[in-house]
CSV table of all heavy atoms in Angstrom, one decimal:
chain,number,residue,atom,x,y,z
M,38,THR,N,-159.9,19.1,65.6
M,38,THR,CA,-160.9,18.5,66.3
M,38,THR,C,-161.0,17.0,66.0
M,38,THR,O,-161.0,16.6,64.9
M,38,THR,CB,-162.3,19.2,66.3
M,38,THR,OG1,-162.6,19.1,64.9
M,38,THR,CG2,-162.1,20.6,66.7
M,39,VAL,N,-161.3,16.3,67.1
M,39,VAL,CA,-161.8,14.9,66.9
M,39,VAL,C,-163.3,14.9,67.4
M,39,VAL,O,-163.6,15.3,68.3
M,39,VAL,CB,-161.0,14.0,67.8
M,39,VAL,CG1,-161.6,12.6,67.5
M,39,VAL,CG2,-159.6,14.0,67.7
M,40,SER,N,-164.1,14.6,66.3
M,40,SER,CA,-165.6,14.6,66.7
M,40,SER,C,-165.9,13.1,66.9
M,40,SER,O,-165.5,12.1,66.2
M,40,SER,CB,-166.4,15.0,65.6
M,40,SER,OG,-166.1,14.4,64.3
M,105,PHE,N,-160.5,2.2,60.2
M,105,PHE,CA,-159.8,3.5,60.3
M,105,PHE,C,-159.7,3.9,58.7
M,105,PHE,O,-159.0,3.3,58.0
M,105,PHE,CB,-158.4,3.6,60.9
M,105,PHE,CG,-157.7,4.8,60.6
M,105,PHE,CD1,-158.2,6.0,60.9
M,105,PHE,CD2,-156.5,4.7,60.0
M,105,PHE,CE1,-157.4,7.1,60.7
M,105,PHE,CE2,-155.7,6.0,59.6
M,105,PHE,CZ,-156.3,7.2,60.0
M,106,LEU,N,-160.5,5.0,58.4
M,106,LEU,CA,-160.5,5.6,56.9
M,106,LEU,C,-159.6,6.7,57.1
M,106,LEU,O,-159.9,7.7,57.6
M,106,LEU,CB,-161.9,5.7,56.7
M,106,LEU,CG,-162.1,6.5,55.2
M,106,LEU,CD1,-161.6,5.6,54.1
M,106,LEU,CD2,-163.5,6.9,55.0
M,107,SER,N,-158.6,6.7,56.1
M,107,SER,CA,-157.8,7.8,55.9
M,107,SER,C,-157.9,8.5,54.4
M,107,SER,O,-157.7,7.6,53.5
M,107,SER,CB,-156.4,7.5,56.2
M,107,SER,OG,-155.5,8.6,55.9
M,108,VAL,N,-158.3,9.7,54.3
M,108,VAL,CA,-158.6,10.1,52.9
M,108,VAL,C,-157.7,11.4,52.7
M,108,VAL,O,-157.7,12.2,53.5
M,108,VAL,CB,-160.1,10.5,52.8
M,108,VAL,CG1,-160.4,11.2,51.5
M,108,VAL,CG2,-161.0,9.3,53.1
M,119,MET,N,-148.7,13.9,57.8
M,119,MET,CA,-149.2,12.7,58.7
M,119,MET,C,-148.6,11.5,58.3
M,119,MET,O,-148.3,10.6,59.1
M,119,MET,CB,-150.8,12.7,58.6
M,119,MET,CG,-151.4,11.9,59.7
M,119,MET,SD,-153.1,12.3,60.0
M,119,MET,CE,-153.6,11.0,61.2
M,124,PHE,N,-147.8,7.6,59.8
M,124,PHE,CA,-148.0,6.2,59.1
M,124,PHE,C,-146.6,5.6,58.9
M,124,PHE,O,-146.5,4.4,58.5
M,124,PHE,CB,-148.7,6.6,57.9
M,124,PHE,CG,-150.1,7.1,58.0
M,124,PHE,CD1,-150.6,8.0,57.3
M,124,PHE,CD2,-150.8,6.7,59.1
M,124,PHE,CE1,-151.8,8.5,57.5
M,124,PHE,CE2,-152.1,7.3,59.3
M,124,PHE,CZ,-152.6,8.2,58.5
M,154,TYR,N,-168.2,11.1,54.1
M,154,TYR,CA,-167.5,11.2,55.5
M,154,TYR,C,-167.1,12.4,55.9
M,154,TYR,O,-167.0,12.9,57.1
M,154,TYR,CB,-166.5,10.1,55.6
M,154,TYR,CG,-166.9,8.8,55.5
M,154,TYR,CD1,-166.8,7.9,54.3
M,154,TYR,CD2,-167.8,8.2,56.5
M,154,TYR,CE1,-167.4,6.6,54.2
M,154,TYR,CE2,-168.4,6.9,56.4
M,154,TYR,CZ,-168.1,6.2,55.3
M,154,TYR,OH,-168.7,4.9,55.2
M,157,PHE,N,-170.0,14.1,57.6
M,157,PHE,CA,-170.0,13.6,59.0
M,157,PHE,C,-169.0,14.5,59.8
M,157,PHE,O,-169.4,15.0,60.9
M,157,PHE,CB,-169.7,12.1,59.1
M,157,PHE,CG,-169.4,11.7,60.5
M,157,PHE,CD1,-170.5,11.5,61.5
M,157,PHE,CD2,-168.0,11.6,61.0
M,157,PHE,CE1,-170.2,11.1,62.8
M,157,PHE,CE2,-167.7,11.1,62.3
M,157,PHE,CZ,-168.8,11.0,63.2
M,158,VAL,N,-167.9,14.6,59.4
M,158,VAL,CA,-166.9,15.4,60.1
M,158,VAL,C,-167.3,16.9,60.2
M,158,VAL,O,-167.1,17.4,61.4
M,158,VAL,CB,-165.4,15.4,59.4
M,158,VAL,CG1,-164.4,16.2,60.0
M,158,VAL,CG2,-164.9,13.8,59.4
M,166,GLY,N,-161.2,18.9,56.4
M,166,GLY,CA,-160.1,19.2,55.6
M,166,GLY,C,-159.4,17.8,55.4
M,166,GLY,O,-159.8,16.7,55.8
M,167,TRP,N,-158.3,18.0,54.8
M,167,TRP,CA,-157.5,16.8,54.4
M,167,TRP,C,-156.1,16.9,54.9
M,167,TRP,O,-155.4,17.9,55.0
M,167,TRP,CB,-157.5,16.6,52.9
M,167,TRP,CG,-158.8,16.3,52.3
M,167,TRP,CD1,-159.5,15.2,52.4
M,167,TRP,CD2,-159.6,17.4,51.9
M,167,TRP,NE1,-160.6,15.3,51.8
M,167,TRP,CE2,-160.9,16.7,51.6
M,167,TRP,CE3,-159.7,18.6,51.7
M,167,TRP,CZ2,-162.0,17.3,51.0
M,167,TRP,CZ3,-160.6,19.5,51.2
M,167,TRP,CH2,-161.8,18.7,50.9
M,168,PRO,N,-155.6,15.8,55.6
M,168,PRO,CA,-156.1,14.4,55.6
M,168,PRO,C,-157.4,14.4,56.4
M,168,PRO,O,-157.3,15.0,57.4
M,168,PRO,CB,-155.0,13.4,56.1
M,168,PRO,CG,-154.2,14.5,56.9
M,168,PRO,CD,-154.2,15.8,56.3
M,169,MET,N,-158.3,13.6,55.9
M,169,MET,CA,-159.4,13.3,56.8
M,169,MET,C,-159.2,11.9,57.4
M,169,MET,O,-158.9,11.0,56.7
M,169,MET,CB,-160.7,13.4,55.8
M,169,MET,CG,-162.0,13.0,56.6
M,169,MET,SD,-163.4,13.2,55.8
M,169,MET,CE,-163.4,12.2,54.4
M,170,SER,N,-159.5,11.9,58.7
M,170,SER,CA,-159.4,10.7,59.4
M,170,SER,C,-160.7,10.4,60.1
M,170,SER,O,-161.2,11.1,61.0
M,170,SER,CB,-158.3,10.9,60.6
M,170,SER,OG,-157.2,11.3,60.0
M,171,VAL,N,-161.3,9.3,59.7
M,171,VAL,CA,-162.7,8.7,60.3
M,171,VAL,C,-162.6,7.3,60.6
M,171,VAL,O,-162.0,6.5,60.0
M,171,VAL,CB,-163.8,9.0,59.2
M,171,VAL,CG1,-165.1,8.8,59.8
M,171,VAL,CG2,-163.6,10.4,58.5
M,172,TRP,N,-163.3,7.2,61.8
M,172,TRP,CA,-163.4,5.7,62.3
M,172,TRP,C,-164.9,5.2,62.0
M,172,TRP,O,-165.8,5.9,62.3
M,172,TRP,CB,-163.0,5.6,63.8
M,172,TRP,CG,-161.5,5.6,64.0
M,172,TRP,CD1,-160.6,4.7,64.2
M,172,TRP,CD2,-160.8,6.8,63.9
M,172,TRP,NE1,-159.4,5.2,64.3
M,172,TRP,CE2,-159.4,6.5,64.3
M,172,TRP,CE3,-161.1,8.2,63.9
M,172,TRP,CZ2,-158.3,7.4,64.2
M,172,TRP,CZ3,-160.0,9.2,64.0
M,172,TRP,CH2,-158.6,8.7,64.2
M,181,VAL,N,-166.4,8.3,64.8
M,181,VAL,CA,-165.4,9.4,65.3
M,181,VAL,C,-164.8,10.0,64.0
M,181,VAL,O,-164.5,9.2,63.1
M,181,VAL,CB,-164.3,8.8,66.2
M,181,VAL,CG1,-163.2,9.8,66.5
M,181,VAL,CG2,-165.0,8.2,67.5
M,182,GLY,N,-164.6,11.3,64.0
M,182,GLY,CA,-163.9,11.8,62.8
M,182,GLY,C,-163.1,13.1,63.2
M,182,GLY,O,-163.2,13.7,64.2
M,183,GLY,N,-162.1,13.3,62.4
M,183,GLY,CA,-161.2,14.4,62.5
M,183,GLY,C,-160.3,14.6,61.2
M,183,GLY,O,-160.7,14.2,60.1
M,184,THR,N,-159.3,15.4,61.3
M,184,THR,CA,-158.4,15.8,60.1
M,184,THR,C,-157.0,15.3,60.4
M,184,THR,O,-156.7,14.1,60.7
M,184,THR,CB,-158.6,17.2,59.8
M,184,THR,OG1,-158.3,18.0,60.9
M,184,THR,CG2,-160.1,17.5,59.3
M,185,TYR,N,-156.0,16.3,60.4
M,185,TYR,CA,-154.8,16.0,60.6
M,185,TYR,C,-154.5,15.8,62.1
M,185,TYR,O,-155.1,16.5,62.9
M,185,TYR,CB,-153.8,17.2,60.1
M,185,TYR,CG,-152.5,17.2,60.8
M,185,TYR,CD1,-151.5,16.4,60.2
M,185,TYR,CD2,-152.1,18.0,61.9
M,185,TYR,CE1,-150.2,16.4,60.9
M,185,TYR,CE2,-150.9,17.9,62.4
M,185,TYR,CZ,-150.0,17.1,61.9
M,185,TYR,OH,-148.7,17.1,62.5
M,186,PHE,N,-153.7,14.7,62.6
M,186,PHE,CA,-153.4,14.6,63.9
M,186,PHE,C,-151.8,14.7,64.0
M,186,PHE,O,-151.1,14.0,63.3
M,186,PHE,CB,-153.8,13.3,64.5
M,186,PHE,CG,-155.3,13.2,64.7
M,186,PHE,CD1,-156.2,12.6,63.7
M,186,PHE,CD2,-156.0,13.8,65.7
M,186,PHE,CE1,-157.5,12.5,63.7
M,186,PHE,CE2,-157.4,13.8,65.8
M,186,PHE,CZ,-158.1,13.2,64.9
M,197,PHE,N,-152.1,11.4,67.7
M,197,PHE,CA,-152.9,10.3,66.9
M,197,PHE,C,-152.9,9.0,67.8
M,197,PHE,O,-153.7,8.3,67.9
M,197,PHE,CB,-152.1,10.1,65.5
M,197,PHE,CG,-152.8,9.2,64.7
M,197,PHE,CD1,-154.2,9.3,64.4
M,197,PHE,CD2,-152.1,8.1,64.1
M,197,PHE,CE1,-154.8,8.4,63.5
M,197,PHE,CE2,-152.7,7.2,63.2
M,197,PHE,CZ,-154.1,7.2,63.0
Side-chain angles (χ1 to χ4, degrees):
T38 59
V39 182
S40 59
F105 167 60
L106 173 65
S107 176
V108 181
M119 195 161 174
F124 301 145
Y154 295 112
F157 167 77
V158 171
W167 297 276
M169 177 170 64
S170 306
V171 189
W172 284 263
V181 174
T184 53
Y185 162 85
F186 294 99
F197 186 57

